[in-house]
Amino acid sequence: MMKIALLLCCAATLLALSPCAAMPVQNGNVGGPSAPNWGGNDSLFAWEALVNMTDVSDAPEHPNWTFKYFYNWNSKASRYEHQQGQHDEVCAKANIVDDECTVLNAADGNLYLFSNTQCCRCSAPWAPFTIRPDWLQDDSPKYTGRVTMDGQLADGWVAYGSSDNHYYASTDSSRRPIRYLEHKNGKLKTWEFLKWIPGAPQSDKFATPENCQTPCPASPNGCTGQ
């Protein structure tokens, strides 16, 4: 899977793509406008969102749930609050299935998985775990055209890593995220952004959990509890 999946992201929903007239190459993007930051325009480095997830690849029997996402690149931190009914692949590694589960990529360079009843910690030499805001720009994206999604006009790009990474943003100056998807092992994973709030989330969203030093029972994304 690509960088987002590699950095603990998950996703939802099939798209119908429509063709668009070719546009000039800009900033390494083939045939269209330059790709935006993750989550907004080039001046935005912190935001939050409510996301509808569909993960046919990792949870074929229970592919749909929602989660709240908090992102602050200035703190190198991000947080996923997976709601009841979740079957997130990372939470499952700590045996948290169906119950609410939080994945915190903390500013201290560790990753924390916790629910109402348990918490575990892991670290990795390639921390921070938080996705870079320019990951799409860094992967030689190709502009795929302008489409309408849920009544919203969106520009799309695709970049290739270990899978195809499709990202759609609004055409206005905010360039807010509308959808992200990939085909992991040939099966769809999608983030559908239901609500988006630009600006830094409350700092307590990235606070390190107290007394959470227990190593995670498995190794989410290759990190260890050491």
Side-chain angles (χ1 to χ4, degrees), residues 83-200:
Q83 307 299 293
Q84 188 76 29
Q86 62 80 23
H87 284 72
D88 176 64
E89 60 177 314
V90 179
C91 294
K93 293 181 183 297
N95 299 316
I96 306 174
V97 178
D98 204 43
D99 294 332
E100 293 180 359
C101 172
T102 296
V103 180
L104 174 62
N105 302 314
D108 66 3
N110 291 315
L111 180 148
Y112 298 88
L113 300 178
F114 54 95
S115 66
N116 292 329
T117 59
Q118 62 176 294
C119 182
C120 67
R121 176 188 63 85
C122 62
S123 59
W126 41 267
F129 294 91
T130 301
I131 186 71
R132 286 171 42 191
D134 62 349
W135 71 264
L136 181 61
Q137 301 161 8
D138 195 45
D139 276 349
S140 301
K142 179 180 179 180
Y143 183 66
T144 57
R146 184 161 286 186
V147 297
T148 299
M149 294 180 177
D150 302 324
Q152 304 176 82
L153 202 58
D155 285 318
W157 295 264
V158 61
Y160 293 92
S162 56
S163 66
D164 57 330
N165 306 292
H166 300 262
Y167 185 75
Y168 295 86
S170 66
T171 59
D172 62 15
S173 60
S174 72
R175 310 191 82 183
R176 69 187 184 281
I178 293 177
R179 201 166 295 182
Y180 163 77
L181 70 87
E182 64 172 312
H183 292 88
K184 179 184 176 185
N185 300 320
K187 297 180 180 179
L188 186 68
K189 296 183 68 173
T190 309
W191 295 39
E192 181 185 1
F193 294 90
L194 304 178
K195 184 179 181 179
W196 171 78
I197 303 174

Side-chain angles (χ1 to χ4, degrees), residues 31-114:
S34 60
N37 274 353
W38 169 237
N41 60 38
D42 291 347
S43 65
L44 188 68
F45 296 92
W47 51 283
E48 59 187 88
L50 176 65
V51 180
N52 181 49
M53 164 88 76
T54 299
D55 187 355
V56 178
S57 177
D58 297 300
E61 296 182 0
H62 304 277
N64 298 108
W65 67 91
T66 58
F67 68 93
K68 296 177 181 178
Y69 180 68
F70 304 88
Y71 179 85
N72 192 332
W73 179 248
N74 297 317
S75 300
K76 306 296 188 292
S78 59
R79 177 182 175 119
Y80 306 73
E81 294 181 355
H82 295 284
Q83 307 299 293
Q84 188 76 29
Q86 62 80 23
H87 284 72
D88 176 64
E89 60 177 314
V90 179
C91 294
K93 293 181 183 297
N95 299 316
I96 306 174
V97 178
D98 204 43
D99 294 332
E100 293 180 359
C101 172
T102 296
V103 180
L104 174 62
N105 302 314
D108 66 3
N110 291 315
L111 180 148
Y112 298 88
L113 300 178
F114 54 95

